[in-house]
Each structure stands twice: as C-alpha cells, then as structure tokens.
Amino acid sequence: DAGVTQSPTHLIKTRGQQVTLRCSPKSGHDTVSWYQQALGQGPQFIFQYYEEEERQRGNFPDRFSGHQFPNYSSELNVNALLLGDSALYLCASSLVGQGSQPQHFGDGTRLSIL
Amino acid sequence: QKEVEQDPGPLSVPEGAIVSLNCTYSNSAFQYFMWYRQYSRKGPELLMYTYSSGNKEDGRFTAQVDKSSKYISLFIRDSQPSDSATYLCAIPGNQFYFGTGTSLTVIP
C-alpha cells in the first residue's frame, strides 16, 4: 500500500525564483493538504485541494498556489521566493468528508533559499 | 490566542523513565485529538487518535483528554532511546491545528 510520496526531497533556490513541489497521495485518498514546517515549529496549514479545487486556505500569501490533477496528485507552487520560505514542506492526504480522521503525511521536501 | 499550545521543550530523560507531554487548546468544540511522532528528516506519523474525554492506551503509550480543562496529554512508559523524536499534538477543526512540537531525547 503506497503511502504519501513527495518529490524532490531537497531543493536549493535563490531569492526571487519560483519552485514547484509535487505530491502523490496515499492510495485511496482523494484530498491533499499542504503544510509549511519551519525549524522547531509545528506544521502550518497552507491549503487543501479536493476535486481539483482549493477548498480551504490558511494564512499564506497568494505567492503560494497549488493544483490538483485528476489522479489526485498535487503540486505546490511558490513564486518570488523569500529567505523566510526556507522550510520543510509537507503533503498530507485524507478522504473527503472525514475531516476529523487522521491525515497521512509524506516525508516532505526540504526547501532552502539562499 | 493560538488554537493549540504546546511546550516545545526540549525534554531529556534517562531510559526507562515515564514521559509526560502536554498541550492545551482554546476551542471547547474540538472533539478529536491526535498525537503524531516525527523523527528527524521524516514526516509526522500518527501515534494516537482519541475522541472526547478519557484515556486511550496502546502499548507503552497512553493518551489522555480532559475537556473540562482543555488539556491533552501523552504518557510514555518505560521510555526507550528509539522514542527520541519530536511529538506533535494535532486537533482537526476548520483545518488541522498542530502544536509546536516537543523534542524528546531518551538517554541510554
């Protein structure tokens, strides 16, 4: 049973650049959420996708955008990168309508901004 | 006020000790409570999942919820070096709210 997979595992970018991170949800899951985890902090909710639409959004600027594909996989795009965007980006999957159920996480993409 | 507050530690204990990890939350409407464990360079993995008040035990781990105080706890008995990780409390609401995580080191 394939769990949540994310790519790439590490990425180094410079300020002002753009980045795309990818996520494949756990088999059978249809909802994907993205989180930003700064060093020493808990995950912060960025947004959630279901049926190829953004359903919920946390307190992140519109430099952060996403996409979900018909096969439920998802991308996170960040434009005009800032030093403060350096973090671990986590993808989590779940089933729609089961918002109180645990989310399953991938191992994340570690993004470093120089 | 944050939805979930957690003491970040760090916490360092000798092998075999009992560990107590705690979180408080602000919204009395919350019904489900989770604990995740996160090893270095890994994503969070679900450890315990509880509903409403009371205790839930799974091996060496016990999750406790006190809704009257809006306080949740995770106890680890007979702690092992392999328990060294960051422990995150999480509560589903309009979104998933996570604590800051408590870093635990169990010293052999």
Side-chain angles (χ1 to χ4, degrees):
Chain A
D1 181 17
V4 178
T5 58
Q6 292 186 244
S7 64
T9 54
H10 294 88
L11 208 48
I12 300 174
K13 291 287 188 178
T14 57
R15 282 178 297 173
Q17 284 189 311
Q18 178 265 342
V19 69
T20 297
L21 311 181
R22 296 175 175 84
C23 171
S24 291
K26 178 181 168 67
S27 177
H29 285 180
D30 55 11
T31 301
V32 172
S33 301
W34 286 93
Y35 293 84
Q36 181 192 66
Q37 187 177 25
L39 197 62
Q41 299 295 316
Q44 296 294 310
F45 176 73
I46 302 175
F47 42 54
Q48 183 180 80
Y49 275 83
Y50 170 66
E51 286 190 332
E52 303 178 46
E53 289 189 6
E54 182 182 298
R55 296 289 172 156
Q56 282 184 292
R57 189 177 183 93
N59 188 25
F60 278 81
D62 57 11
R63 297 188 297 109
F64 290 77
S65 63
H67 189 78
Q68 186 180 34
F69 299 94
N71 67 352
Y72 308 121
S73 67
S74 177
E75 289 181 348
L76 164 66
N77 301 291
V78 187
N79 294 322
L81 287 166
L82 303 173
L83 292 178
D85 295 332
S86 294
L88 180 68
Y89 288 85
L90 294 163
C91 171
S93 72
S94 56
L95 270 172
V96 71
Q98 299 188 6
S100 60
Q101 298 297 306
Q103 295 187 338
H104 296 254
F105 285 85
D107 285 337
T109 294
R110 187 162 299 280
L111 177 62
S112 298
I113 310 301
L114 303 180
Chain B
Q1 184 183 10
K2 288 182 116 178
E3 299 284 354
V4 181
E5 303 269 8
Q6 182 175 8
D7 183 350
L11 199 56
S12 182
V13 302
E15 183 175 353
I18 296 174
V19 176
S20 172
L21 305 166
N22 309 292
C23 289
T24 58
Y25 62 94
S26 59
N27 190 336
S28 58
F30 290 150
Q31 297 278 7
Y32 295 87
F33 307 92
M34 301 169 198
W35 286 94
Y36 283 82
R37 177 175 61 195
Q38 185 174 23
Y39 290 113
S40 179
R41 303 186 183 279
K42 292 290 188 180
E45 58 175 334
L46 181 69
L47 197 57
M48 297 289 282
Y49 172 47
T50 57
Y51 170 72
S52 197
S53 282
N55 293 356
K56 181 177 181 179
E57 188 173 321
D58 184 1
R60 297 184 294 109
F61 299 90
T62 299
Q64 189 174 80
V65 177
D66 181 350
K67 292 197 71 181
S68 63
S69 302
K70 290 185 272 188
Y71 195 84
I72 59 175
S73 302
L74 178 71
F75 298 96
I76 307 174
R77 291 184 301 281
D78 187 26
S79 55
Q80 301 295 309
S82 59
D83 296 328
S84 298
T86 295
Y87 290 81
L88 297 153
C89 58
I91 304 176
N94 292 332
Q95 57 180 261
F96 257 68
Y97 299 103
F98 284 86
T100 54
T102 300
S103 176
L104 171 68
T105 301
V106 180
I107 303 167

